[in-house]
Amino acid sequence: SSDLLLFDFGGVLVDLDRQRVEAAFDRIGFNIRPYLGTYKQAGIFSQLEQGRISIHEFCNGIRALSQQLGDALQLLTDEAIVAAWQSYLTEVPTERLDMLLKIKQHYSINVLSNTNTVHWQMAKDTFFRYKGLNVENFFDHIFLSCDLGVEKPDPLIFSKVVEGLQVPAHDILFFDDSEVNCQAARNCGLQALVAPAGSEWFKYFDDYGKLHPSYIQA
């Protein structure tokens, strides 16, 4: 049975606005489109999500790649770049926070995310501050690519999660909006269900936060 649930963050819990972040980077003369992947980022964004570079190094890289040459480049501060990158994440709607709190009455809830210090700071400062709670109240274990030095769908990240949770892989049920990541998890012995963007993943649970029996493997 799966008493242990593992949730992706981006696209499943927090809403992403691709057009908004593209526009924000366009304003600072940087085309982010080639870097935004469907299940992981590329290039300098991937380095940030693997924790291989600092935020300042990331900003230096963006400045170096930016098409705004000359004096305008001096105006492109770390803050301006970070603000543009923050604009990718919009909110964790309260209906999802309420659902997580219901689910938590029955299961251990954990997070596995390809993310970076900029976005996770938003989770800590804003998204999971709710009803006097904070991010640690929602999740028993938090696994972030930027801490682990590896991103989904690399098998290594799933073995680190299994090691961290100290349960057999099969006892973990993983929710991710990417079929690629779900399949990678299954290849590592976990159970996985594709969780479509929005709150569509609620379909796997009843009104009390319990998994529908049809989704539980013996």
Side-chain angles (χ1 to χ4, degrees), residues 69-84:
L69 302 169
D71 298 336
L73 207 52
Q74 306 310 312
L75 303 174
L76 198 46
T77 61
D78 285 13
E79 289 75 16
I81 294 166
V82 166

Side-chain angles (χ1 to χ4, degrees), residues 126-143:
T126 309
F127 298 137
F128 293 99
R129 290 207 179 267
Y130 181 62
K131 294 184 172 173
L133 304 172
N134 60 43
V135 72
E136 278 81 18
N137 299 121
F138 282 90
F139 308 111
D140 296 323
H141 292 86
I142 294 168
F143 300 97

